């Protein structure tokens, strides 16, 4: 591997680490997938390992076999460092907690005064 190839790898990794390449449409799809998973499972929050397993099942983010959840953690760290991390995702004592992002009711609400 030549010096130019090493420099190219460094530049690409630098752009990825500096969040210039974050695709927010893909991240929106990731959030929608995790919201649907939590609604189906009846959970209000999940951890990073469980979330990355579900994202791999859905085909959105490949998981790491030696370190489960690592690709999602790297994405969340890059979002945190660029100050784009959504409010429903928090890091507590080194563990990432992803809460249900939708606070709106997904089912139609019944108006109690509708029939008066």
């Amino acid at each position: 591997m030549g010096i130019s190839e090493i420099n190219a790898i460094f530049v690409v990794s630098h752009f990825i680490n500096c969040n210039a390449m974050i695709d927010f449409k893909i991240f929106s799809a990731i959030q929608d997938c995790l919201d649907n998973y939590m609604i189906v499972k009846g959970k209000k929050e999940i951890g990073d390992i469980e979330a990355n397993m579900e994202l791999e099942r859905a085909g959105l983010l490949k998981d790491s076999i030696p370190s489960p959840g690592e690709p999602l953690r790297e994405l969340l760290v890059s979002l945190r460092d660029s100050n784009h991390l959504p409010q429903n995702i928090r890091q507590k004592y080194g563990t990432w907690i992803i809460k249900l992002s939708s606070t709106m009711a997904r089912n139609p609400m019944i108006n109690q005064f509708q029939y008066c």
Side-chain angles (χ1 to χ4, degrees):
M1 191 182 303
I3 292 178
S4 62
E5 293 171 341
I6 293 173
N7 287 339
I9 292 171
F10 173 76
V11 168
V12 169
S13 66
H14 179 71
F15 277 122
I16 291 172
N17 290 335
C18 291
N19 310 313
M21 303 300 279
I22 294 175
D23 188 354
F24 293 107
K25 289 181 182 180
I26 293 175
F27 188 74
S28 176
I30 287 173
Q31 267 197 312
D32 289 342
C33 175
L34 293 177
D35 281 346
N36 291 333
Y37 172 75
M38 285 186 272
I39 289 170
V40 167
K41 295 292 182 178
K43 297 182 176 188
K44 293 182 181 177
E45 63 183 26
I46 57 175
D48 53 354
I49 295 173
E50 182 179 2
N52 209 152
M53 286 176 21
E54 175 58 24
L55 292 173
E56 182 176 31
R57 187 191 66 74
L60 291 173
L61 186 64
K62 187 155 176 61
D63 202 359
S64 171
I65 293 172
S67 180
E70 183 67 26
L72 181 61
R73 285 192 294 271
E74 289 177 359
L75 177 65
L76 296 177
V77 166
S78 65
L79 287 170
R80 180 197 63 199
D81 292 346
S82 66
N83 203 21
H84 287 100
L85 191 66
Q87 291 182 353
N88 66 313
I89 302 174
R90 293 285 179 239
Q91 186 178 21
K92 294 182 182 178
Y93 306 111
T95 303
W96 288 96
I97 304 295
I98 302 167
K99 294 184 178 182
L100 188 63
S101 69
S102 174
T103 56
M104 301 293 288
R106 295 235 177 201
N107 298 325
M109 295 182 65
I110 299 172
N111 185 356
Q112 63 181 353
F113 301 109
Q114 180 177 357
Y115 300 108
C116 294

